[in-house]
């Protein structure tokens, strides 16, 4: 590990409603390259809100988020989208695979959007990723023809399509049974420890949280505990 790849500096997010709601309050943290971090806390503690700020899907009311040492303060939507596409892969609880496309096409989409590979290269890389997660034989199927565990592996393959430095996951085992949950958290652990990717995962799954190198526990939008596990 060599220095932070992802940082939050005094980040606060307030929803400006009739009565303002503070989702995240004065959070500072740094995540190193290759680190596997779990984010836990009770419902409503700000876990997903923090993840969306770290992933540039939302912008802080105060403070700043840095990706690879670069501050994202003041960047427009296009610039934030470019950083997300190149450097960050997302995995969500409900997959968000596009039902009208095949499994292979879903994995190809981020590569096509980044436009650094031609169509043949995109197809080849998507196939390799699916094979890596032992679902290459499902490539021509639609997402609704797959089991929940298979869909989540497709979602992980899609997140890896552009070889991002950072994987952000929001309750990636929330809809899975015990066996598939174990498969998914083993995948994330391997990505971190063997391939040097940074993984930050929000989870209620205790075994998943315990598999991480470090745990950040939130309460009321603030970091209550930030501790290494190994």
């Amino acid at each position: 590990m060599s220095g932070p790849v992802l940082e939050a500096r005094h980040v606060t997010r307030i929803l400006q409603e009739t009565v303002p709601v503070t989702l995240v309050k004065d959070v500072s943290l740094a995540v190193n390259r290759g680190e596997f971090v779990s984010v836990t806390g009770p419902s409503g503690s700000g876990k997903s809100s923090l993840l969306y700020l770290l992933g540039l899907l939302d912008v802080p009311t105060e403070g700043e988020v840095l990706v690879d040492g670069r501050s994202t303060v003041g960047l427009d939507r296009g610039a934030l989208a470019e950083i997300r596409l190149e450097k960050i892969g997302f995995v969500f609880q409900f997959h968000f695979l596009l039902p009208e496309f095949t499994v292979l096409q879903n994995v190809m989409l981020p590569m096509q959007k980044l436009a650094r590979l031609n169509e043949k290269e995109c197809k080849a890389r998507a196939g390799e990723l699916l094979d890596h997660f032992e679902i290459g034989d499902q490539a021509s199927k639609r997402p609704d023809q797959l089991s929940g565990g298979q869909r989540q592996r497709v979602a992980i393959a899609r997140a890896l399509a552009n070889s991002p430095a950072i994987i952000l996951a929001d309750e990636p085992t929330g809809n899975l049974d015990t066996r598939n949950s174990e498969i998914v958290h083993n995948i994330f652990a391997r990505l971190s420890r063997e391939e040097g990717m940074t993984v930050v995962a929000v989870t209620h799954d205790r075994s998943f949280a315990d598999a991480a190198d470090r745990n950040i526990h939130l309460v009321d939008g603030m970091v209550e505990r930030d501790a290494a596990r190994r």
Side-chain angles (χ1 to χ4, degrees), residues 85-149:
L85 194 59
E86 181 181 357
K87 295 184 179 292
I88 303 172
F90 295 93
V91 180
F92 299 98
Q93 179 177 356
F94 297 106
H95 322 300
F96 295 119
L97 300 175
L98 298 181
E100 66 270 29
F101 294 120
T102 67
V103 163
L104 186 73
Q105 290 168 332
N106 267 278
V107 178
M108 290 172 64
L109 285 171
M111 292 180 273
Q112 292 169 326
K113 196 164 185 180
L114 190 61
R116 291 185 178 172
L117 301 176
N118 62 37
E119 194 73 3
K120 184 178 179 180
E121 291 169 330
C122 288
K123 188 174 291 187
R125 172 151 175 79
E128 288 170 4
L129 286 166
L130 292 172
D131 286 340
H132 182 70
F133 295 123
E134 301 180 356
I135 45 174
D137 59 343
Q138 308 297 313
S140 63
K141 293 184 178 180
R142 306 283 177 180
D144 63 1
Q145 296 175 289
L146 274 57
S147 69

Side-chain angles (χ1 to χ4, degrees), residues 11-12 22-29 39-42 44-47 50 216-226:
V11 165
T12 293
T22 300
L23 303 175
V24 175
K25 184 176 181 181
D26 195 27
V27 168
S28 293
L29 57 87
V39 180
T40 58
S45 60
K47 302 183 299 298
L50 176 61
I216 296 171
H217 190 76
L218 298 184
V219 175
D220 295 333
M222 297 179 287
V223 176
E224 182 186 68
R225 182 180 65 254
D226 184 346

Side-chain angles (χ1 to χ4, degrees), residues 3-229:
V5 68
L6 188 61
E7 292 182 78
R9 296 180 179 174
H10 300 290
V11 165
T12 293
R13 178 68 173 101
I14 300 172
L15 282 183
Q16 300 294 344
E17 299 184 342
T18 306
V19 178
V21 177
T22 300
L23 303 175
V24 175
K25 184 176 181 181
D26 195 27
V27 168
S28 293
L29 57 87
V31 182
N32 291 324
R33 199 172 302 277
E35 198 170 13
F36 180 11
V37 179
S38 61
V39 180
T40 58
S43 296
S45 60
K47 302 183 299 298
S48 293
S49 296
L50 176 61
L51 198 75
Y52 296 160
L53 291 167
L54 294 175
L56 312 182
L57 293 171
D58 194 10
V59 294
T61 307
E62 299 173 12
E64 63 178 334
V65 172
L66 293 84
V67 178
D68 253 349
R70 177 190 179 187
S71 176
T72 59
V73 170
L75 296 182
D76 62 25
R77 288 184 178 182
L80 292 174
E82 189 70 19
I83 294 171
R84 287 196 304 270
L85 194 59
E86 181 181 357
K87 295 184 179 292
I88 303 172
F90 295 93
V91 180
F92 299 98
Q93 179 177 356
F94 297 106
H95 322 300
F96 295 119
L97 300 175
L98 298 181
E100 66 270 29
F101 294 120
T102 67
V103 163
L104 186 73
Q105 290 168 332
N106 267 278
V107 178
M108 290 172 64
L109 285 171
M111 292 180 273
Q112 292 169 326
K113 196 164 185 180
L114 190 61
R116 291 185 178 172
L117 301 176
N118 62 37
E119 194 73 3
K120 184 178 179 180
E121 291 169 330
C122 288
K123 188 174 291 187
R125 172 151 175 79
E128 288 170 4
L129 286 166
L130 292 172
D131 286 340
H132 182 70
F133 295 123
E134 301 180 356
I135 45 174
D137 59 343
Q138 308 297 313
S140 63
K141 293 184 178 180
R142 306 283 177 180
D144 63 1
Q145 296 175 289
L146 274 57
S147 69
Q150 289 173 324
R151 286 197 295 270
Q152 194 61 296
R153 278 184 275 167
V154 174
I156 295 170
R158 181 184 59 186
L160 296 175
N162 289 329
S163 301
I166 303 160
I167 296 292
L168 300 181
D170 192 8
E171 298 286 2
T173 61
N175 282 332
L176 302 181
D177 59 25
T178 301
R179 177 179 172 277
N180 280 299
S181 293
E182 185 175 353
I183 289 171
V184 168
H185 73 57
N186 285 342
I187 288 171
F188 284 123
R190 188 170 70 246
L191 290 172
S192 169
R193 290 161 196 161
E194 296 179 13
E195 301 186 31
M197 288 189 179
T198 299
V199 178
V200 180
V202 165
T203 185
H204 279 103
D205 182 336
R206 178 48 54 192
S207 62
F208 189 102
D210 289 344
D213 304 314
R214 170 182 166 199
N215 174 248
I216 296 171
H217 190 76
L218 298 184
V219 175
D220 295 333
M222 297 179 287
V223 176
E224 182 186 68
R225 182 180 65 254
D226 184 346
R229 289 197 170 276

